[in-house]
C-alpha cells in the first residue's frame, strides 16, 4: 500500500518518525513535505497536495500531521473525495475506516506521542471499509452534499 504523508512545522518531527516507522513496516511512502523544520510554514501547503494525491489515486491513504491535527483535517476535507479525521484513540482509528471509509488520518504532533501515533497508524492502515449497506447509504448522503457544493 502506498501511503502519503504531510506535515507543517507543528507536525514535522512526528511525520519524520512516522516516515521511518512506515518504511520499516514495508509501506511505500510518498512524502509531501515539509522537508525541513520551518516555523513559518503553513499546513495547507502540504496537506492540500496530499489530499489531491489521495483523490487522484497517486497514494491510497494519507497521514497528515500539524500541531493539533485540527487544521490538517479542516484543510483536507475541503478536497472533494477526501474523508479526513483527527484521531486520538485506537477505536476511531480503525472504525473510521470500517464504517466511514476514512482515507486520511490526521494527528497532532503536539498532542500525540510517537509510540501512540504508531499504534493509531497501524490500526488505520490495517482496517478496511466494510461496504455494508447502511454505511454506503450514509456516505452517499455525505457525497450528495459534497456534489451539490
Ligand atoms: C501551527 O502553529 C499550528 O497552528 C498548526 O500546526 C496546527 O496545529 C493547526 O491546526
Amino acid at each position: 500500500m502506498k501511503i502519503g504523508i504531510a506535515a507543517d512545522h507543528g507536525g514535522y518531527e512526528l511525520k519524520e518518525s512516522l516516515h521511518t516507522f512506515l518504511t520499516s513496516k514495508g509501506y511505500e511512502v510518498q512524502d509531501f513535505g515539509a522537508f525541513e523544520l520551518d516555523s513559518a510554514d503553513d499546513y495547507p501547503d502540504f496537506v492540500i497536495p496530499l489530499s489531491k494525491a489521495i483523490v487522484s489515486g497517486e497514494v491510497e491513504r494519507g497521514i497528515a500531521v500539524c500541531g493539533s491535527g485540527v487544521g490538517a483535517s479542516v484543510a483536507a476535507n475541503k478536497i472533494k473525495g477526501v474523508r479526513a479525521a483527527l484521531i486520538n484513540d485506537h477505536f476511531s482509528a480503525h472504525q473510521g475506516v470500517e464504517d466511514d471509509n476514512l482515507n486520511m488520518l490526521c494527528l497532532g504532533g503536539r498532542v500525540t506521542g510517537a509510540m501512540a501515533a504508531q499504534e493509531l497508524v497501524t490500526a488505520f492502515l490495517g482496517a478496511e471499509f466494510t461496504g455494508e449497506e447502511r454505511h454506503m447509504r450514509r456516505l452517499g448522503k455525505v457525497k450528495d452534499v459534497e456534489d451539490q457544493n
Side-chain angles (χ1 to χ4, degrees):
M1 189 188 289
K2 189 172 179 183
I3 310 300
I5 58 173
D8 71 350
H9 57 281
Y12 179 78
E13 192 179 332
L14 182 56
K15 188 257 293 174
E16 291 295 297
S17 90
L18 287 173
H19 194 162
T20 302
F21 172 71
L22 290 165
T23 302
S24 78
K25 294 295 178 189
Y27 289 103
E28 186 181 353
V29 179
Q30 184 166 344
D31 192 340
F32 289 81
F35 298 108
E36 61 182 357
L37 186 57
D38 173 1
S39 62
D41 68 12
D42 303 321
Y43 58 82
D45 295 335
F46 312 106
V47 173
I48 296 299
L50 168 59
S51 302
K52 291 179 175 175
I54 292 170
V55 174
S56 73
E58 189 179 347
V59 299
E60 199 168 324
R61 292 192 195 170
I63 298 166
V65 194
C66 64
S68 63
V70 173
S73 60
V74 168
N77 281 308
K78 298 300 179 193
I79 302 300
K80 189 174 173 178
V82 169
R83 294 173 297 277
L86 167 58
I87 299 290
N88 286 311
D89 68 278
H90 185 271
F91 171 75
S92 302
H94 63 85
Q95 193 256 7
V97 178
E98 291 157 357
D99 290 11
D100 309 313
N101 208 3
L102 194 70
N103 55 15
M104 185 190 290
L105 178 76
C106 299
L107 297 169
R110 295 170 178 154
V111 178
T112 302
M115 294 302 113
Q118 288 181 14
E119 295 201 7
L120 297 176
V121 163
T122 300
F124 168 64
L125 296 178
E128 294 293 338
F129 179 51
T130 64
E132 289 174 17
E133 191 279 332
R134 67 186 191 283
H135 300 312
M136 297 289 285
R137 185 180 70 241
R138 291 160 189 162
L139 283 170
K141 292 181 180 183
V142 173
K143 188 170 185 310
D144 286 348
V145 174
E146 195 177 50
D147 289 343
Q148 288 159 16
N149 290 273

